[in-house]
Amino acid sequence: MDNNARNRVKKATRVKIISMGNAETGKSCIIKRYCEKRFVQKYLATIGIDYGVTKVTVKGQEMKVNIFDMAGHPIFYEVRNEFYKDTQGAMLVYDIADRGSFEALEAWLAEMRNEIGNPAEMDNIVFCVCANKCDKKRVVDEADGRLWAEGKGFHYFETSAQTGEGVGEMFQVLFEGVLSTVENGGKRRPMTTQLGYTKDQAEAIQRLKNSKNDYERLGLHPGASKDDINKAYRKLAVLLHPDKNVAPGSEEAFKLLVAARTNLLKR
Ligand code: GTP
Ligand code: MG
């Protein structure tokens, strides 16, 4: 390789970013806000996929960012599924005023995992979860979104394509994360922010909050003995006690745990 070629290689790092999430959550608007500094109120559904390229400089390094903006509507699955491959960074977008769009994030990840096939490749993708439309009245708590994201090692941002809040910061972290992965030979580095809580702790909180009855909250089958109830309680209490568990929602989950045990022991 001659010097010119070497300089050209050094010049711009080419990366691939994709957007994922239900239709109408604001994926295209977030990208438009960032690239064109404007917002469009009228909903123009993406048909299949939109492609754009933008040049940015991150930590002194020029990056050529290829953005594949996916259509959220299920009918476009056949069109978008081939674009998952070789993704280095992904925005996972939901609408804070639409719980269904938050609950759909798992299905979006599953779709991606299915298309990519290789778990090691999934682990090296940098994910930014965008709790979008934060200018609206929310139905999904920040704690729920943050816990879901950070429990998986993803970054979490509250964004509004309308006001611009959080959008620049989100892209900055996404680009920095991808650049850092490239510089690390394609292996994603662990998140720089120290979470201070474990995946088990995050999962315990989610289970407590999402369970339908007290037995489920304790991870027991109906009719479990008093002994089982106390054992399960003690195990979870260690995981959830707010003095030990600093994850968002631990206090509420601990209260649910205590109430579940009290109710079951009364039976
Ligand atoms: P698909 O392309 O169909 O998957 O949808 P999308 O996720 O790309 O949604 P899009 O960006 O087209 O936005 C959907 C609608 O939500 C539009 O009417 C936008 O004006 C609106 N919208 C997007 N972002 C925001 C936001 O931050 N706040 C508010 N209030 N509205 C938003
Ligand atoms: Mg769109």
mmCIF file of all heavy atoms in Angstrom, residues 28-78:
data_model
loop_
_atom_site.group_PDB
_atom_site.id
_atom_site.type_symbol
_atom_site.label_atom_id
_atom_site.label_comp_id
_atom_site.label_asym_id
_atom_site.label_seq_id
_atom_site.Cartn_x
_atom_site.Cartn_y
_atom_site.Cartn_z
ATOM 1 N N SER A 28 -37.559 7.898 11.475
ATOM 2 C CA SER A 28 -37.134 8.772 10.376
ATOM 3 C C SER A 28 -36.977 10.208 10.860
ATOM 4 O O SER A 28 -36.064 10.924 10.426
ATOM 5 C CB SER A 28 -38.155 8.709 9.238
ATOM 6 O OG SER A 28 -38.313 7.386 8.812
ATOM 7 N N CYS A 29 -37.872 10.619 11.762
ATOM 8 C CA CYS A 29 -37.807 12.001 12.270
ATOM 9 C C CYS A 29 -36.555 12.242 13.100
ATOM 10 O O CYS A 29 -35.997 13.344 13.075
ATOM 11 C CB CYS A 29 -39.052 12.324 13.094
ATOM 12 S SG CYS A 29 -40.507 12.630 12.081
ATOM 13 N N ILE A 30 -36.114 11.239 13.858
ATOM 14 C CA ILE A 30 -34.890 11.396 14.661
ATOM 15 C C ILE A 30 -33.698 11.604 13.717
ATOM 16 O O ILE A 30 -32.850 12.465 13.936
ATOM 17 C CB ILE A 30 -34.664 10.157 15.564
ATOM 18 C CG1 ILE A 30 -35.725 10.110 16.662
ATOM 19 C CG2 ILE A 30 -33.263 10.173 16.177
ATOM 20 C CD1 ILE A 30 -35.684 8.848 17.522
ATOM 21 N N ILE A 31 -33.671 10.817 12.648
ATOM 22 C CA ILE A 31 -32.570 10.930 11.678
ATOM 23 C C ILE A 31 -32.631 12.283 10.963
ATOM 24 O O ILE A 31 -31.623 12.964 10.794
ATOM 25 C CB ILE A 31 -32.629 9.748 10.674
ATOM 26 C CG1 ILE A 31 -32.374 8.430 11.423
ATOM 27 C CG2 ILE A 31 -31.619 9.934 9.552
ATOM 28 C CD1 ILE A 31 -32.732 7.181 10.651
ATOM 29 N N LYS A 32 -33.852 12.671 10.607
ATOM 30 C CA LYS A 32 -34.028 13.965 9.931
ATOM 31 C C LYS A 32 -33.613 15.117 10.851
ATOM 32 O O LYS A 32 -32.966 16.069 10.429
ATOM 33 C CB LYS A 32 -35.496 14.119 9.494
ATOM 34 C CG LYS A 32 -35.714 15.290 8.584
ATOM 35 C CD LYS A 32 -37.059 15.229 7.885
ATOM 36 C CE LYS A 32 -36.990 14.492 6.574
ATOM 37 N NZ LYS A 32 -38.082 13.676 6.239
ATOM 38 N N ARG A 33 -33.984 15.014 12.104
ATOM 39 C CA ARG A 33 -33.615 16.051 13.084
ATOM 40 C C ARG A 33 -32.095 16.198 13.138
ATOM 41 O O ARG A 33 -31.560 17.296 13.151
ATOM 42 C CB ARG A 33 -34.197 15.691 14.455
ATOM 43 C CG ARG A 33 -33.606 16.362 15.644
ATOM 44 C CD ARG A 33 -33.762 17.866 15.657
ATOM 45 N NE ARG A 33 -35.139 18.322 15.812
ATOM 46 C CZ ARG A 33 -35.525 19.586 15.590
ATOM 47 N NH1 ARG A 33 -34.647 20.498 15.204
ATOM 48 N NH2 ARG A 33 -36.783 19.934 15.758
ATOM 49 N N TYR A 34 -31.410 15.076 13.139
ATOM 50 C CA TYR A 34 -29.955 15.101 13.248
ATOM 51 C C TYR A 34 -29.301 15.589 11.953
ATOM 52 O O TYR A 34 -28.438 16.469 11.984
ATOM 53 C CB TYR A 34 -29.434 13.701 13.585
ATOM 54 C CG TYR A 34 -27.941 13.674 13.723
ATOM 55 C CD1 TYR A 34 -27.324 14.192 14.863
ATOM 56 C CD2 TYR A 34 -27.134 13.165 12.709
ATOM 57 C CE1 TYR A 34 -25.947 14.194 14.987
ATOM 58 C CE2 TYR A 34 -25.762 13.164 12.822
ATOM 59 C CZ TYR A 34 -25.168 13.684 13.967
ATOM 60 O OH TYR A 34 -23.806 13.693 14.085
ATOM 61 N N CYS A 35 -29.741 15.052 10.829
ATOM 62 C CA CYS A 35 -29.066 15.345 9.557
ATOM 63 C C CYS A 35 -29.511 16.673 8.947
ATOM 64 O O CYS A 35 -28.726 17.353 8.300
ATOM 65 C CB CYS A 35 -29.308 14.233 8.543
ATOM 66 S SG CYS A 35 -28.572 12.663 9.021
ATOM 67 N N GLU A 36 -30.793 17.020 9.137
ATOM 68 C CA GLU A 36 -31.306 18.216 8.459
ATOM 69 C C GLU A 36 -31.766 19.298 9.428
ATOM 70 O O GLU A 36 -32.238 20.350 9.006
ATOM 71 C CB GLU A 36 -32.473 17.822 7.541
ATOM 72 C CG GLU A 36 -32.066 16.842 6.445
ATOM 73 C CD GLU A 36 -33.277 16.330 5.658
ATOM 74 O OE1 GLU A 36 -34.319 17.021 5.636
ATOM 75 O OE2 GLU A 36 -33.172 15.227 5.098
ATOM 76 N N LYS A 37 -31.662 19.026 10.713
ATOM 77 C CA LYS A 37 -32.047 19.984 11.765
ATOM 78 C C LYS A 37 -33.485 20.466 11.612
ATOM 79 O O LYS A 37 -33.796 21.636 11.803
ATOM 80 C CB LYS A 37 -31.113 21.210 11.782
ATOM 81 C CG LYS A 37 -29.631 20.885 11.721
ATOM 82 C CD LYS A 37 -29.049 20.758 13.110
ATOM 83 C CE LYS A 37 -27.603 20.356 13.094
ATOM 84 N NZ LYS A 37 -27.311 18.952 12.731
ATOM 85 N N ARG A 38 -34.378 19.574 11.200
ATOM 86 C CA ARG A 38 -35.778 20.003 11.084
ATOM 87 C C ARG A 38 -36.709 18.859 11.470
ATOM 88 O O ARG A 38 -36.277 17.719 11.602
ATOM 89 C CB ARG A 38 -36.096 20.534 9.688
ATOM 90 C CG ARG A 38 -36.001 19.483 8.617
ATOM 91 C CD ARG A 38 -36.030 20.129 7.241
ATOM 92 N NE ARG A 38 -36.004 19.098 6.212
ATOM 93 C CZ ARG A 38 -37.074 18.655 5.585
ATOM 94 N NH1 ARG A 38 -38.264 19.152 5.842
ATOM 95 N NH2 ARG A 38 -36.988 17.715 4.661
ATOM 96 N N PHE A 39 -37.981 19.217 11.644
ATOM 97 C CA PHE A 39 -38.980 18.239 12.092
ATOM 98 C C PHE A 39 -40.206 18.329 11.198
ATOM 99 O O PHE A 39 -40.637 19.424 10.853
ATOM 100 C CB PHE A 39 -39.365 18.538 13.548
ATOM 101 C CG PHE A 39 -40.483 17.677 14.061
ATOM 102 C CD1 PHE A 39 -40.279 16.321 14.305
ATOM 103 C CD2 PHE A 39 -41.751 18.209 14.306
ATOM 104 C CE1 PHE A 39 -41.313 15.512 14.778
ATOM 105 C CE2 PHE A 39 -42.779 17.412 14.780
ATOM 106 C CZ PHE A 39 -42.563 16.059 15.023
ATOM 107 N N VAL A 40 -40.737 17.187 10.825
ATOM 108 C CA VAL A 40 -41.948 17.163 10.004
ATOM 109 C C VAL A 40 -43.075 16.535 10.823
ATOM 110 O O VAL A 40 -42.946 15.414 11.311
ATOM 111 C CB VAL A 40 -41.718 16.343 8.701
ATOM 112 C CG1 VAL A 40 -42.966 16.353 7.827
ATOM 113 C CG2 VAL A 40 -40.530 16.887 7.938
ATOM 114 N N GLN A 41 -44.152 17.285 10.968
ATOM 115 C CA GLN A 41 -45.283 16.840 11.789
ATOM 116 C C GLN A 41 -46.070 15.716 11.121
ATOM 117 O O GLN A 41 -46.524 14.785 11.765
ATOM 118 C CB GLN A 41 -46.202 18.054 12.020
ATOM 119 C CG GLN A 41 -47.221 17.853 13.115
ATOM 120 C CD GLN A 41 -46.637 18.055 14.509
ATOM 121 O OE1 GLN A 41 -45.883 19.010 14.741
ATOM 122 N NE2 GLN A 41 -46.956 17.152 15.411
ATOM 123 N N LYS A 42 -46.188 15.847 9.807
ATOM 124 C CA LYS A 42 -47.026 14.888 9.058
ATOM 125 C C LYS A 42 -46.321 13.535 8.991
ATOM 126 O O LYS A 42 -45.118 13.468 8.754
ATOM 127 C CB LYS A 42 -47.230 15.443 7.647
ATOM 128 C CG LYS A 42 -48.287 14.738 6.852
ATOM 129 C CD LYS A 42 -48.570 15.552 5.578
ATOM 130 C CE LYS A 42 -49.540 14.854 4.664
ATOM 131 N NZ LYS A 42 -49.100 13.691 4.001
ATOM 132 N N TYR A 43 -47.092 12.470 9.206
ATOM 133 C CA TYR A 43 -46.505 11.122 9.176
ATOM 134 C C TYR A 43 -46.355 10.629 7.739
ATOM 135 O O TYR A 43 -47.329 10.496 7.017
ATOM 136 C CB TYR A 43 -47.398 10.164 9.971
ATOM 137 C CG TYR A 43 -46.974 8.712 9.904
ATOM 138 C CD1 TYR A 43 -45.627 8.342 9.944
ATOM 139 C CD2 TYR A 43 -47.923 7.707 9.807
ATOM 140 C CE1 TYR A 43 -45.247 7.003 9.888
ATOM 141 C CE2 TYR A 43 -47.558 6.370 9.752
ATOM 142 C CZ TYR A 43 -46.224 6.026 9.793
ATOM 143 O OH TYR A 43 -45.845 4.707 9.737
ATOM 144 N N LEU A 44 -45.118 10.391 7.352
ATOM 145 C CA LEU A 44 -44.832 9.821 6.038
ATOM 146 C C LEU A 44 -44.143 8.487 6.280
ATOM 147 O O LEU A 44 -42.948 8.449 6.584
ATOM 148 C CB LEU A 44 -43.906 10.747 5.243
ATOM 149 C CG LEU A 44 -44.502 12.096 4.838
ATOM 150 C CD1 LEU A 44 -43.419 13.082 4.479
ATOM 151 C CD2 LEU A 44 -45.482 11.911 3.684
ATOM 152 N N ALA A 45 -44.905 7.413 6.193
ATOM 153 C CA ALA A 45 -44.343 6.091 6.497
ATOM 154 C C ALA A 45 -43.181 5.786 5.557
ATOM 155 O O ALA A 45 -43.240 6.071 4.359
ATOM 156 C CB ALA A 45 -45.420 5.034 6.348
ATOM 157 N N THR A 46 -42.135 5.225 6.132
ATOM 158 C CA THR A 46 -41.018 4.773 5.302
ATOM 159 C C THR A 46 -41.476 3.540 4.534
ATOM 160 O O THR A 46 -42.118 2.648 5.095
ATOM 161 C CB THR A 46 -39.809 4.422 6.194
ATOM 162 O OG1 THR A 46 -39.489 5.578 6.961
ATOM 163 C CG2 THR A 46 -38.599 3.988 5.383
ATOM 164 N N ILE A 47 -41.161 3.492 3.269
ATOM 165 C CA ILE A 47 -41.546 2.343 2.445
ATOM 166 C C ILE A 47 -40.320 1.436 2.337
ATOM 167 O O ILE A 47 -39.344 1.789 1.679
ATOM 168 C CB ILE A 47 -41.989 2.803 1.031
ATOM 169 C CG1 ILE A 47 -43.065 3.889 1.118
ATOM 170 C CG2 ILE A 47 -42.451 1.616 0.197
ATOM 171 C CD1 ILE A 47 -44.359 3.489 1.781
ATOM 172 N N GLY A 48 -40.377 0.333 3.025
ATOM 173 C CA GLY A 48 -39.252 -0.612 2.967
ATOM 174 C C GLY A 48 -38.046 -0.111 3.729
ATOM 175 O O GLY A 48 -37.865 -0.399 4.906
ATOM 176 N N ILE A 49 -37.240 0.695 3.058
ATOM 177 C CA ILE A 49 -36.031 1.192 3.710
ATOM 178 C C ILE A 49 -35.606 2.510 3.064
ATOM 179 O O ILE A 49 -35.815 2.715 1.877
ATOM 180 C CB ILE A 49 -34.905 0.119 3.609
ATOM 181 C CG1 ILE A 49 -33.811 0.344 4.635
ATOM 182 C CG2 ILE A 49 -34.340 0.003 2.215
ATOM 183 C CD1 ILE A 49 -33.488 -0.895 5.411
ATOM 184 N N ASP A 50 -35.062 3.410 3.867
ATOM 185 C CA ASP A 50 -34.475 4.648 3.338
ATOM 186 C C ASP A 50 -32.986 4.593 3.626
ATOM 187 O O ASP A 50 -32.579 4.129 4.684
ATOM 188 C CB ASP A 50 -35.051 5.872 4.065
ATOM 189 C CG ASP A 50 -36.305 6.389 3.405
ATOM 190 O OD1 ASP A 50 -36.555 6.029 2.245
ATOM 191 O OD2 ASP A 50 -37.036 7.136 4.067
ATOM 192 N N TYR A 51 -32.222 5.104 2.708
ATOM 193 C CA TYR A 51 -30.779 5.077 2.897
ATOM 194 C C TYR A 51 -30.225 6.487 2.805
ATOM 195 O O TYR A 51 -30.644 7.283 1.968
ATOM 196 C CB TYR A 51 -30.131 4.184 1.831
ATOM 197 C CG TYR A 51 -28.634 4.316 1.786
ATOM 198 C CD1 TYR A 51 -27.840 3.737 2.774
ATOM 199 C CD2 TYR A 51 -28.017 5.050 0.776
ATOM 200 C CE1 TYR A 51 -26.467 3.879 2.753
ATOM 201 C CE2 TYR A 51 -26.638 5.189 0.746
ATOM 202 C CZ TYR A 51 -25.867 4.607 1.730
ATOM 203 O OH TYR A 51 -24.508 4.750 1.720
ATOM 204 N N GLY A 52 -29.302 6.796 3.684
ATOM 205 C CA GLY A 52 -28.642 8.093 3.623
ATOM 206 C C GLY A 52 -27.234 7.970 4.148
ATOM 207 O O GLY A 52 -26.896 7.007 4.836
ATOM 208 N N VAL A 53 -26.399 8.935 3.798
ATOM 209 C CA VAL A 53 -25.029 8.891 4.285
ATOM 210 C C VAL A 53 -24.660 10.263 4.837
ATOM 211 O O VAL A 53 -25.103 11.288 4.311
ATOM 212 C CB VAL A 53 -24.057 8.411 3.185
ATOM 213 C CG1 VAL A 53 -24.081 9.309 1.979
ATOM 214 C CG2 VAL A 53 -22.659 8.221 3.712
ATOM 215 N N THR A 54 -23.952 10.252 5.962
ATOM 216 C CA THR A 54 -23.537 11.525 6.546
ATOM 217 C C THR A 54 -22.095 11.408 7.023
ATOM 218 O O THR A 54 -21.659 10.330 7.403
ATOM 219 C CB THR A 54 -24.495 11.947 7.693
ATOM 220 O OG1 THR A 54 -24.123 13.237 8.147
ATOM 221 C CG2 THR A 54 -24.455 10.993 8.876
ATOM 222 N N LYS A 55 -21.390 12.527 6.933
ATOM 223 C CA LYS A 55 -19.995 12.515 7.400
ATOM 224 C C LYS A 55 -19.919 13.218 8.738
ATOM 225 O O LYS A 55 -20.495 14.293 8.909
ATOM 226 C CB LYS A 55 -19.107 13.243 6.388
ATOM 227 C CG LYS A 55 -18.591 12.320 5.324
ATOM 228 C CD LYS A 55 -17.460 12.970 4.562
ATOM 229 C CE LYS A 55 -16.877 11.985 3.558
ATOM 230 N NZ LYS A 55 -16.005 12.640 2.605
ATOM 231 N N VAL A 56 -19.240 12.610 9.685
ATOM 232 C CA VAL A 56 -19.089 13.225 11.001
ATOM 233 C C VAL A 56 -17.638 13.063 11.448
ATOM 234 O O VAL A 56 -16.924 12.195 10.952
ATOM 235 C CB VAL A 56 -20.003 12.573 12.068
ATOM 236 C CG1 VAL A 56 -21.454 12.866 11.806
ATOM 237 C CG2 VAL A 56 -19.781 11.079 12.173
ATOM 238 N N THR A 57 -17.244 13.926 12.391
ATOM 239 C CA THR A 57 -15.919 13.755 12.979
ATOM 240 C C THR A 57 -16.094 13.456 14.453
ATOM 241 O O THR A 57 -16.743 14.211 15.179
ATOM 242 C CB THR A 57 -15.063 15.030 12.791
ATOM 243 O OG1 THR A 57 -15.017 15.291 11.388
ATOM 244 C CG2 THR A 57 -13.645 14.828 13.297
ATOM 245 N N VAL A 58 -15.592 12.316 14.853
ATOM 246 C CA VAL A 58 -15.734 11.889 16.242
ATOM 247 C C VAL A 58 -14.338 11.661 16.807
ATOM 248 O O VAL A 58 -13.568 10.872 16.253
ATOM 249 C CB VAL A 58 -16.567 10.580 16.323
ATOM 250 C CG1 VAL A 58 -16.646 10.079 17.750
ATOM 251 C CG2 VAL A 58 -17.956 10.805 15.757
ATOM 252 N N LYS A 59 -14.030 12.371 17.896
ATOM 253 C CA LYS A 59 -12.716 12.278 18.530
ATOM 254 C C LYS A 59 -11.594 12.428 17.498
ATOM 255 O O LYS A 59 -10.652 11.633 17.458
ATOM 256 C CB LYS A 59 -12.587 10.947 19.282
ATOM 257 C CG LYS A 59 -13.543 10.877 20.456
ATOM 258 C CD LYS A 59 -13.248 9.705 21.342
ATOM 259 C CE LYS A 59 -13.960 9.882 22.665
ATOM 260 N NZ LYS A 59 -13.993 8.681 23.472
ATOM 261 N N GLY A 60 -11.755 13.419 16.610
ATOM 262 C CA GLY A 60 -10.723 13.713 15.614
ATOM 263 C C GLY A 60 -10.693 12.753 14.441
ATOM 264 O O GLY A 60 -9.909 12.924 13.514
ATOM 265 N N GLN A 61 -11.552 11.769 14.454
ATOM 266 C CA GLN A 61 -11.570 10.792 13.367
ATOM 267 C C GLN A 61 -12.786 11.030 12.471
ATOM 268 O O GLN A 61 -13.916 11.116 12.949
ATOM 269 C CB GLN A 61 -11.631 9.374 13.968
ATOM 270 C CG GLN A 61 -11.853 8.260 12.974
ATOM 271 C CD GLN A 61 -10.690 8.081 12.001
ATOM 272 O OE1 GLN A 61 -9.531 8.009 12.411
ATOM 273 N NE2 GLN A 61 -11.002 8.048 10.711
ATOM 274 N N GLU A 62 -12.517 11.132 11.181
ATOM 275 C CA GLU A 62 -13.626 11.313 10.255
ATOM 276 C C GLU A 62 -14.366 9.988 10.069
ATOM 277 O O GLU A 62 -13.721 8.942 9.942
ATOM 278 C CB GLU A 62 -13.083 11.792 8.905
ATOM 279 C CG GLU A 62 -14.068 12.659 8.160
ATOM 280 C CD GLU A 62 -13.464 13.190 6.872
ATOM 281 O OE1 GLU A 62 -12.436 13.882 6.946
ATOM 282 O OE2 GLU A 62 -14.036 12.876 5.816
ATOM 283 N N MET A 63 -15.686 10.060 10.076
ATOM 284 C CA MET A 63 -16.473 8.843 9.864
ATOM 285 C C MET A 63 -17.475 9.072 8.740
ATOM 286 O O MET A 63 -18.096 10.136 8.654
ATOM 287 C CB MET A 63 -17.264 8.458 11.131
ATOM 288 C CG MET A 63 -16.415 8.006 12.291
ATOM 289 S SD MET A 63 -17.421 7.766 13.765
ATOM 290 C CE MET A 63 -18.027 6.091 13.518
ATOM 291 N N LYS A 64 -17.609 8.060 7.898
ATOM 292 C CA LYS A 64 -18.646 8.116 6.870
ATOM 293 C C LYS A 64 -19.734 7.155 7.348
ATOM 294 O O LYS A 64 -19.509 5.941 7.414
ATOM 295 C CB LYS A 64 -18.055 7.655 5.544
ATOM 296 C CG LYS A 64 -18.927 7.940 4.382
ATOM 297 C CD LYS A 64 -18.217 7.590 3.096
ATOM 298 C CE LYS A 64 -19.210 7.623 1.957
ATOM 299 N NZ LYS A 64 -18.660 7.036 0.756
ATOM 300 N N VAL A 65 -20.852 7.727 7.751
ATOM 301 C CA VAL A 65 -21.894 6.913 8.381
ATOM 302 C C VAL A 65 -23.005 6.592 7.384
ATOM 303 O O VAL A 65 -23.668 7.489 6.863
ATOM 304 C CB VAL A 65 -22.500 7.653 9.604
ATOM 305 C CG1 VAL A 65 -23.496 6.759 10.316
ATOM 306 C CG2 VAL A 65 -21.411 8.109 10.555
ATOM 307 N N ASN A 66 -23.172 5.331 7.104
ATOM 308 C CA ASN A 66 -24.265 4.889 6.235
ATOM 309 C C ASN A 66 -25.450 4.554 7.117
ATOM 310 O O ASN A 66 -25.355 3.668 7.981
ATOM 311 C CB ASN A 66 -23.850 3.641 5.456
ATOM 312 C CG ASN A 66 -22.706 3.940 4.512
ATOM 313 O OD1 ASN A 66 -22.914 4.528 3.458
ATOM 314 N ND2 ASN A 66 -21.505 3.584 4.910
ATOM 315 N N ILE A 67 -26.529 5.267 6.918
ATOM 316 C CA ILE A 67 -27.703 5.043 7.775
ATOM 317 C C ILE A 67 -28.811 4.357 6.973
ATOM 318 O O ILE A 67 -29.255 4.862 5.937
ATOM 319 C CB ILE A 67 -28.238 6.369 8.364
ATOM 320 C CG1 ILE A 67 -27.127 7.106 9.124
ATOM 321 C CG2 ILE A 67 -29.433 6.110 9.289
ATOM 322 C CD1 ILE A 67 -27.556 8.439 9.729
ATOM 323 N N PHE A 68 -29.226 3.201 7.465
ATOM 324 C CA PHE A 68 -30.340 2.470 6.856
ATOM 325 C C PHE A 68 -31.535 2.634 7.788
ATOM 326 O O PHE A 68 -31.528 2.132 8.914
ATOM 327 C CB PHE A 68 -29.987 0.989 6.673
ATOM 328 C CG PHE A 68 -28.897 0.778 5.671
ATOM 329 C CD1 PHE A 68 -27.565 0.948 6.024
ATOM 330 C CD2 PHE A 68 -29.205 0.430 4.367
ATOM 331 C CE1 PHE A 68 -26.551 0.769 5.093
ATOM 332 C CE2 PHE A 68 -28.198 0.253 3.423
ATOM 333 C CZ PHE A 68 -26.870 0.424 3.781
ATOM 334 N N ASP A 69 -32.518 3.372 7.325
ATOM 335 C CA ASP A 69 -33.691 3.678 8.141
ATOM 336 C C ASP A 69 -34.816 2.703 7.763
ATOM 337 O O ASP A 69 -35.365 2.774 6.664
ATOM 338 C CB ASP A 69 -34.093 5.140 7.881
ATOM 339 C CG ASP A 69 -35.359 5.533 8.603
ATOM 340 O OD1 ASP A 69 -35.678 4.915 9.645
ATOM 341 O OD2 ASP A 69 -36.048 6.464 8.118
ATOM 342 N N MET A 70 -35.122 1.809 8.677
ATOM 343 C CA MET A 70 -36.066 0.747 8.361
ATOM 344 C C MET A 70 -37.513 1.181 8.528
ATOM 345 O O MET A 70 -37.830 2.003 9.389
ATOM 346 C CB MET A 70 -35.832 -0.428 9.304
ATOM 347 C CG MET A 70 -34.475 -1.030 9.135
ATOM 348 S SD MET A 70 -34.558 -2.730 9.630
ATOM 349 C CE MET A 70 -32.922 -3.243 9.154
ATOM 350 N N ALA A 71 -38.375 0.552 7.752
ATOM 351 C CA ALA A 71 -39.816 0.732 7.924
ATOM 352 C C ALA A 71 -40.246 -0.152 9.086
ATOM 353 O O ALA A 71 -39.852 -1.308 9.170
ATOM 354 C CB ALA A 71 -40.538 0.311 6.659
ATOM 355 N N GLY A 72 -41.064 0.407 9.967
ATOM 356 C CA GLY A 72 -41.487 -0.366 11.127
ATOM 357 C C GLY A 72 -42.651 -1.292 10.849
ATOM 358 O O GLY A 72 -42.879 -2.258 11.565
ATOM 359 N N HIS A 73 -43.404 -0.989 9.816
ATOM 360 C CA HIS A 73 -44.615 -1.764 9.568
ATOM 361 C C HIS A 73 -44.282 -3.211 9.200
ATOM 362 O O HIS A 73 -43.381 -3.454 8.392
ATOM 363 C CB HIS A 73 -45.441 -1.106 8.459
ATOM 364 C CG HIS A 73 -46.859 -1.559 8.474
ATOM 365 N ND1 HIS A 73 -47.231 -2.784 7.972
ATOM 366 C CD2 HIS A 73 -47.983 -0.992 8.976
ATOM 367 C CE1 HIS A 73 -48.532 -2.941 8.152
ATOM 368 N NE2 HIS A 73 -49.009 -1.870 8.757
ATOM 369 N N PRO A 74 -45.040 -4.169 9.799
ATOM 370 C CA PRO A 74 -44.745 -5.596 9.546
ATOM 371 C C PRO A 74 -44.746 -5.979 8.062
ATOM 372 O O PRO A 74 -44.020 -6.895 7.666
ATOM 373 C CB PRO A 74 -45.870 -6.332 10.278
ATOM 374 C CG PRO A 74 -46.418 -5.350 11.262
ATOM 375 C CD PRO A 74 -46.139 -3.985 10.761
ATOM 376 N N ILE A 75 -45.532 -5.285 7.237
ATOM 377 C CA ILE A 75 -45.582 -5.707 5.821
ATOM 378 C C ILE A 75 -44.237 -5.522 5.117
ATOM 379 O O ILE A 75 -44.004 -6.109 4.069
ATOM 380 C CB ILE A 75 -46.682 -4.994 4.985
ATOM 381 C CG1 ILE A 75 -46.528 -3.476 5.067
ATOM 382 C CG2 ILE A 75 -48.074 -5.440 5.379
ATOM 383 C CD1 ILE A 75 -47.376 -2.745 4.021
ATOM 384 N N PHE A 76 -43.348 -4.750 5.710
ATOM 385 C CA PHE A 76 -42.052 -4.530 5.047
ATOM 386 C C PHE A 76 -40.955 -5.468 5.520
ATOM 387 O O PHE A 76 -39.785 -5.282 5.195
ATOM 388 C CB PHE A 76 -41.604 -3.074 5.217
ATOM 389 C CG PHE A 76 -42.524 -2.110 4.548
ATOM 390 C CD1 PHE A 76 -43.244 -1.191 5.292
ATOM 391 C CD2 PHE A 76 -42.673 -2.124 3.165
ATOM 392 C CE1 PHE A 76 -44.108 -0.300 4.677
ATOM 393 C CE2 PHE A 76 -43.540 -1.237 2.541
ATOM 394 C CZ PHE A 76 -44.263 -0.328 3.302
ATOM 395 N N TYR A 77 -41.349 -6.473 6.281
ATOM 396 C CA TYR A 77 -40.347 -7.397 6.818
ATOM 397 C C TYR A 77 -39.444 -7.964 5.718
ATOM 398 O O TYR A 77 -38.223 -7.985 5.840
ATOM 399 C CB TYR A 77 -41.034 -8.534 7.591
ATOM 400 C CG TYR A 77 -40.098 -9.661 7.914
ATOM 401 C CD1 TYR A 77 -39.044 -9.469 8.800
ATOM 402 C CD2 TYR A 77 -40.210 -10.900 7.275
ATOM 403 C CE1 TYR A 77 -38.146 -10.487 9.065
ATOM 404 C CE2 TYR A 77 -39.320 -11.919 7.539
ATOM 405 C CZ TYR A 77 -38.283 -11.703 8.428
ATOM 406 O OH TYR A 77 -37.398 -12.696 8.679
ATOM 407 N N GLU A 78 -40.043 -8.392 4.622
ATOM 408 C CA GLU A 78 -39.275 -9.019 3.534
ATOM 409 C C GLU A 78 -38.256 -8.053 2.936
ATOM 410 O O GLU A 78 -37.219 -8.464 2.433
ATOM 411 C CB GLU A 78 -40.220 -9.499 2.413
ATOM 412 C CG GLU A 78 -41.126 -10.641 2.806
ATOM 413 C CD GLU A 78 -40.372 -11.941 3.095
ATOM 414 O OE1 GLU A 78 -39.211 -12.049 2.648
ATOM 415 O OE2 GLU A 78 -40.935 -12.807 3.781
#
